[in-house]
Amino acid sequence: MSNINNNGVDMNKKTLAELSFTAVKELNDEMAATCSGGDVGGPDPDVLLFKDPNQTGQSLGLNSKTGEGIANIGLDNEGNDNGFNDQTSSIRILRGSWNFFSDSDFKGQSTGVLGPGNYALGANNDNITSALRVAA
Ligand SMILES: [Ca+2]
Ligand SMILES: [Ca+2]
């Protein structure tokens, strides 16, 4: 008579993205202050952000160790505005599993965890401000 499984999670109502977001948010609350050690714009990126749909337009590479990320995508490694805040319309993930957020410091709306592949951003189009590498 119930859809609730042994973990108390109603799988018919929770999407994978929502479940992932909960786990990542807990990670964020503990680690965001010290884990923003990723790099933007370097060679051999783990992730490419594109300003236009379907992996076209100007791109920005991101690199990070697992458990760290880029707390403000709009700033380059010298702290200067790189023009990429709230501009991303598509993503290519080359390595790792990542979560992208609408606000700085891994807050706000989340895409959910995404592994290697090409993605459109849907509701988060022109909204992404931070990126966290959640798995290798
Ligand atoms: Ca765009
Ligand atoms: Ca934003």
Side-chain angles (χ1 to χ4, degrees):
M1 75 185 227
S2 168
N3 291 324
I4 296 175
N5 69 14
N6 290 338
N7 294 322
V9 177
D10 186 342
M11 298 304 290
N12 291 331
K13 293 183 179 175
K14 286 276 187 182
T15 67
L16 179 59
E18 287 170 331
L19 292 169
S20 298
F21 178 73
T22 300
V24 170
K25 185 176 186 312
E26 290 171 358
L27 177 69
N28 290 345
D29 290 344
E30 295 177 14
M31 302 179 73
T34 55
C35 291
S36 56
D39 294 323
V40 295
D44 192 26
D46 300 323
V47 169
L48 285 168
L49 306 179
F50 294 87
K51 285 195 174 181
D52 296 335
N54 301 313
Q55 289 72 43
T56 61
Q58 191 179 349
S59 65
L60 178 72
L62 308 180
N63 290 89
S64 181
K65 298 175 184 176
T66 301
E68 301 185 7
I70 294 85
N72 190 334
I73 284 167
L75 302 179
D76 66 18
N77 291 332
E78 285 73 50
N80 300 310
D81 186 350
N82 62 16
F84 255 86
N85 184 43
D86 291 347
Q87 295 293 311
T88 303
S89 291
S90 59
I91 294 174
R92 175 172 295 152
I93 299 176
L94 298 159
R95 284 184 294 275
S97 293
W98 293 72
N99 204 345
F100 301 87
F101 298 86
S102 62
D103 295 343
S104 59
D105 298 322
F106 321 120
K107 295 175 181 170
Q109 287 184 280
S110 162
T111 60
V113 177
L114 304 173
N118 292 330
Y119 298 92
L121 277 169
N124 284 306
N125 184 52
D126 290 345
N127 202 14
I128 298 297
T129 300
S130 60
L132 183 67
R133 186 171 185 172
V134 298

